[in-house]
Amino acid sequence: MHSLNQNIFLYINHFAGQNHKVDFLMTVIAQYIPYVCIGILLYLWFTSEKNEALYSGYTTTLGVILNQIIGIFYFHPRPFMDNLGFDLLSHKLETSFPSDHTTFSLSIALMLLTFKSTRILGIVASIFALWCGIARVYCGVHYPFDILGSVIVAICSAIIIHLFKNKLLYLNNYIISINNKIIRISND
């Protein structure tokens, strides 16, 4: 499996460094898609989809926490730590499995898919999140199986939050009521 992971990495990463415009685009995607997903949550919050934004926030928080727990028990070097590939991004010497950027983005996207009102936005966010994962491999900071691990973590996180959705509604109502009070106070 390790050689398959490396071979797929080398195939995707071998395109890096060949075209400055593509490299620039891939580094932007690899670094900034999570911010786009945060922007989506803010958009939902300031429209009429506050519950969906909160559930997506819980999902991504759970996903990143699960990544940190996995990282405590399983260390996998990044490709550049194995002296493989071409690096477009500098990164700390830490475990690469699973990808936090991909888990973060995909967790938001998958939860948005569970609601009819945000399904189209969820599809768009899912495409962005998967491109983020591919770009992280292209840029030399993750192996493909790191991205696959992120997909699994994001799916698990979305399922868990979906299962506890009704219990979390009380927390949502509390957060929304605080938000409404702050708005009322600021308008007075």
Side-chain angles (χ1 to χ4, degrees), residues 19 34 51 62 64 80 105 110 112 142 147 154 179 186:
N19 182 309
N51 281 313
L62 178 59
V64 171
F80 61 84
S105 304
L110 292 178
L112 294 177
H142 281 289
I147 307 310
N179 177 70
S186 67

Side-chain angles (χ1 to χ4, degrees):
M1 292 299 275
H2 185 64
S3 63
L4 176 63
N5 198 17
Q6 287 183 338
N7 289 336
I8 296 171
F9 166 78
L10 289 170
Y11 176 75
I12 295 170
N13 179 255
H14 94 276
F15 295 104
Q18 310 242 347
N19 182 309
H20 294 296
K21 291 177 184 174
V22 174
D23 289 351
F24 175 76
L25 177 64
M26 293 303 265
T27 57
V28 167
I29 291 169
Q31 291 179 298
Y32 297 109
I33 288 298
Y35 297 107
V36 172
C37 291
I38 291 170
I40 290 170
L41 292 185
L42 289 172
Y43 167 78
L44 291 173
W45 181 261
F46 290 109
T47 60
S48 60
E49 309 293 340
K50 287 181 175 39
N51 281 313
E52 290 81 349
L54 288 169
Y55 289 129
S56 296
Y58 303 149
T59 304
T60 198
T61 301
L62 178 59
V64 171
I65 289 170
L66 290 174
N67 277 6
Q68 298 308 307
I69 292 169
I70 292 167
I72 291 169
F73 294 103
Y74 176 72
F75 180 85
H76 192 269
R78 293 182 179 275
F80 61 84
M81 295 166 71
D82 287 337
N83 296 313
L84 284 179
F86 185 84
D87 303 333
L88 291 176
L89 297 173
S90 59
H91 204 287
K92 293 187 277 186
L93 300 175
E94 62 184 9
T95 187
S96 69
F97 183 87
S99 164
D100 289 333
H101 281 74
T102 307
T103 298
F104 184 97
S105 304
L106 194 56
S107 294
I108 291 171
L110 292 178
M111 184 48 82
L112 294 177
L113 287 172
T114 67
F115 300 103
K116 188 175 182 181
S117 63
T118 58
R119 196 156 293 145
I120 291 175
L121 199 51
I123 291 168
V124 171
S126 294
I127 292 167
F128 286 162
L130 292 173
W131 266 110
C132 177
I134 293 166
R136 307 276 307 157
V137 175
Y138 178 95
C139 291
V141 293
H142 281 289
Y143 284 106
F145 288 3
D146 301 340
I147 307 310
L148 181 59
S150 295
V151 170
I152 293 168
V153 169
I155 289 170
C156 291
S157 298
I159 289 170
I160 290 167
I161 296 302
H162 188 73
L163 290 173
F164 287 95
K165 189 171 71 169
N166 291 335
K167 294 193 185 292
L168 290 169
L169 187 58
Y170 298 110
L171 178 59
N172 285 9
N173 291 335
Y174 179 71
I175 293 170
I176 292 168
S177 71
I178 290 173
N179 177 70
N180 292 339
K181 287 177 186 175
I182 291 170
I183 290 172
R184 276 196 300 271
I185 290 170
S186 67
N187 287 337
D188 289 342

